[in-house]
């Protein structure tokens, strides 16, 4: 097992309900189109496939998809949506677990590489992607840019969501490149709303795009493209995230 925190049954069961925006057609449409184009006529492997938010619609688009997932509880939620023959999932970590066959696409979405809490494990994740890729295949990562520009001296937290039903902010360990995301979510709704909030937090290792490019070079991959989102907007110094594509030489 890697340093990734293991998602519990309770967290897995409520995960999809908390991701209605990222599961919307407006978000998933460009994501699936981007990945399907890179997969071409080959197979796709999703590291940390979770409940299948992206993997299931990508499979429905016609791309054969295989998944690796550390949490059995997250994989169980995915299995309610699609059977094993249609979308096989192996329980294991994304840095070392190997599945049979070659792939034209390996991908990691929604900041998931940051679940690996050491640089060594993140490097191994790149190596594992390269291990599964056919010559000419691509490795894709969606990852936020560390919001350190919003962290002036003396400030310890950066808010990322302040809404009616959710408060979210990140705190940082600048030496170890660890951020902790803190979530306060309103429990009830309508008449059942008694004003209580549920508190959750998760640890992540943030990395800059240039650091990821070096990891890719260590794994024998070459940067092919970097954009700001799944629609292909240009990546600039003001971009809050990036979608990066590395290619395994033919």
């Amino acid at each position: 097992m890697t340093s990734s925190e293991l998602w519990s049954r309770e967290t897995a069961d409520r995960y999809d309900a908390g991701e209605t925006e990222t599961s919307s057609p407006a978000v998933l449409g460009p994501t699936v189109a981007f990945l399907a184009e890179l997969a071409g006529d080959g197979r796709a492997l999703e590291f940390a496939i979770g409940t299948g938010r992206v993997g299931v619609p990508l499979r429905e688009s016609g791309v054969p998809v295989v998944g690796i997932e550390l949490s059995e509880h997250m994989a169980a939620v995915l299995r309610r949506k699609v059977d094993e023959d249609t979308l096989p999932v192996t329980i294991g970590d994304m840095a070392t677990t190997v599945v049979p066959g070659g792939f034209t696409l390996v991908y990691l979405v929604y900041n998931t590489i940051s679940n690996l809490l050491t640089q060594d494990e993140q490097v191994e994740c790149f190596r594992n992607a390269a291990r599964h890729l056919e010559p000419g295949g691509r490795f894709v990562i969606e990852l936020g840019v560390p919001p350190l520009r919003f962290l002036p001296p003396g400030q310890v937290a950066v808010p990322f969501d302040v809404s009616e039903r959710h408060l979210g902010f990140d705190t940082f360990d600048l030496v170890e490149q660890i951020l902790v995301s803190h979530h306060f979510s309103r429990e009830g709704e309508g008449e059942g709303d008694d004003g209580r909030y549920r508190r959750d937090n998760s640890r992540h290792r943030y990395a800059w795009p240039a650091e990821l490019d070096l990891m890719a070079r260590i794994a024998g991959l070459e940067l092919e493209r970097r954009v700001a989102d799944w629609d292909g907007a240009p990546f600039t110094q003001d971009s809050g995230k990036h979608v990066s594509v590395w290619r395994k030489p033919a």
Side-chain angles (χ1 to χ4, degrees):
M1 182 182 296
T2 70
S3 60
S4 294
E5 296 174 348
L6 196 59
W7 291 60
S8 66
R9 181 187 301 275
E10 180 184 10
T11 302
D13 285 342
R14 65 171 182 253
Y15 181 82
D16 285 348
E19 295 297 333
T20 54
E21 182 177 349
T22 60
S23 300
S24 67
V27 173
L28 284 180
T31 305
V32 169
F34 190 106
L35 295 172
E37 181 179 0
L38 291 178
D41 296 329
R43 299 194 305 158
L45 171 62
E46 181 171 355
F47 285 172
I49 194 169
T51 65
R53 179 182 66 88
V54 173
V56 171
L58 182 60
R59 180 66 186 91
E60 291 172 346
S61 77
V63 177
V65 177
V66 175
I68 293 174
E69 172 54 44
L70 183 61
S71 169
E72 294 185 21
H73 302 302
M74 294 288 277
V77 175
L78 179 150
R79 195 52 67 220
R80 300 170 196 164
K81 306 172 185 178
V82 63
D83 61 57
E84 175 72 16
D85 290 337
T86 302
L87 203 167
V89 174
T90 297
I91 301 300
D93 70 83
M94 56 186 162
T96 63
T97 300
V98 177
V99 298
F103 299 84
T104 56
L105 174 68
V106 178
Y107 66 96
L108 256 175
V109 298
Y110 208 24
N111 304 319
T112 310
I113 193 170
S114 70
N115 291 356
L116 298 170
L117 300 179
T118 70
Q119 186 184 69
D120 286 344
E121 289 175 343
Q122 291 179 353
V123 169
E124 287 306 313
C125 182
F126 272 83
R127 284 177 167 156
N128 201 29
R131 183 180 298 123
H132 286 91
L133 285 173
E134 297 175 351
R138 275 88 167 192
F139 182 36
V140 176
I141 285 180
E142 176 191 23
L143 184 62
V145 176
L148 300 188
R149 294 172 66 185
F150 299 102
L151 195 67
Q155 182 171 315
V156 297
V158 173
F160 58 84
D161 185 29
V162 180
S163 57
E164 183 178 351
R165 306 198 62 80
H166 177 256
L167 301 175
F169 60 91
D170 294 327
T171 55
F172 296 85
D173 179 337
L174 302 181
V175 175
E176 298 295 332
Q177 289 185 213
I178 296 292
L179 70 83
V180 180
S181 287
H182 304 264
H183 302 266
F184 292 83
S185 305
R186 197 69 172 258
E187 287 273 67
E189 193 168 347
E191 293 183 0
D193 188 351
D194 59 5
R196 290 188 299 174
Y197 280 78
R198 182 184 69 252
R199 179 178 181 177
D200 301 292
N201 62 72
S202 58
R203 295 188 301 153
H204 307 268
R205 182 185 187 273
Y206 63 84
W208 300 98
E211 184 181 3
L212 298 180
D213 290 343
L214 185 55
M215 293 181 188
R217 291 179 64 182
I218 292 171
L221 305 176
E222 302 169 347
L223 180 66
E224 181 176 77
R225 185 184 181 196
R226 174 168 290 126
V227 292
D229 55 34
W230 297 107
D231 289 310
F235 178 74
T236 71
Q237 64 178 3
D238 296 319
S239 298
K241 75 171 186 179
H242 61 96
V243 177
S244 296
V245 182
W246 296 274
R247 183 174 182 271
K248 184 174 183 177

